[in-house]
Amino acid sequence: MDGFLQLMLLKVIFFLLLLTILVASLVIMLIVIKTKKMSPLAKFGLVVIFGLISLLMVYGMIFVVIFGYNS
């Protein structure tokens, strides 16, 4: 396997990892929002934390797409 193919495979795996973390954090946020037995402050804190994780994953995916495929 030549270097270019190896690099592309690494970028695709990294992109899929970021996508998996993004989907998982969005699912956890949905579960937290639907939970009834939690205080509103705890709900807000968890939604903010998983929202920031989701935002970081989106920025990471944009970074991989823009800067990863140009090299």
Side-chain angles (χ1 to χ4, degrees):
M1 187 182 291
D2 64 341
F4 178 73
L5 230 84
Q6 215 169 9
L7 192 62
M8 288 301 286
L9 184 65
L10 186 67
K11 289 172 189 172
V12 167
I13 289 172
F14 187 65
F15 184 81
L16 289 176
L17 178 68
L18 290 174
L19 186 65
T20 304
I21 295 171
L22 173 68
V23 169
S25 63
L26 289 176
V27 167
I28 291 172
M29 266 181 30
L30 185 66
I31 291 170
V32 166
I33 289 172
K34 296 286 182 183
T35 304
K36 302 276 188 227
K37 296 182 179 181
M38 205 179 259
S39 71
L41 187 60
K43 268 189 188 180
F44 178 74
L46 286 173
V47 167
V48 166
I49 288 170
F50 286 109
L52 288 175
I53 291 172
S54 302
L55 196 62
L56 282 173
M57 293 307 114
V58 169
Y59 284 151
M61 287 166 35
I62 290 170
F63 183 80
V64 167
V65 168
I66 290 176
F67 296 111
Y69 296 115
N70 287 339
S71 59

